[in-house]
Amino acid sequence: MDVYRNGTKVGSVEEDGTVRHGGWLGEKAGKVEEDGTVRRGGWLGEKVGQVKDDGTIWRGWGEKAGHIKEDGTVWRGWGVKVGLVKDMTDIKKAGGAALLLLL
């Protein structure tokens, strides 16, 4: 899955949930776990948020950061469009990438 801001690719998500700045060989930004937990830096990294099944994205331990819709559009807070995730296959991975790269 690729992540875009204003039409420019800013990162990607690998099959295992690894999120990278810039693309496949880019710097590792973090990882999204199966349950939607988002960690900066990787599996044992600092928890920075959570993505729910409905696409809501939560920062830290409970502040709503935004929402990702099924069409891949990413919305900050309660309604500002900030980006797009193309070829969405997993809403939790896509939402985690949005939190690390866009929100």
Side-chain angles (χ1 to χ4, degrees):
M1 289 180 274
D2 293 329
V3 181
Y4 291 82
R5 175 184 288 136
N6 297 327
T8 303
K9 184 177 176 180
V10 295
S12 65
V13 187
E14 298 174 2
E15 287 293 320
D16 68 353
T18 299
V19 178
R20 296 194 181 274
H21 291 286
W24 182 66
L25 292 176
E27 174 188 354
K28 185 175 181 180
K31 181 140 183 172
V32 184
E33 298 175 0
E34 291 293 323
D35 66 355
T37 299
V38 183
R39 297 189 182 277
R40 181 179 295 125
W43 181 67
L44 292 175
E46 170 194 7
K47 179 178 177 179
V48 294
Q50 183 83 26
V51 182
K52 302 292 184 183
D53 291 331
D54 66 357
T56 53
I57 303 167
W58 301 87
R59 182 179 289 120
W61 297 94
E63 174 192 0
K64 183 176 178 182
H67 190 93
I68 186 164
K69 296 186 178 181
E70 291 192 15
D71 65 359
T73 54
V74 179
W75 302 81
R76 179 175 36 239
W78 299 94
V80 179
K81 185 177 175 182
V82 294
L84 175 70
V85 178
K86 288 191 177 178
D87 303 323
M88 277 191 29
T89 55
D90 184 318
I91 199 162
K92 288 184 179 179
K93 288 180 186 174
L99 177 60
L100 289 167
L101 300 173
L102 298 172
L103 299 173

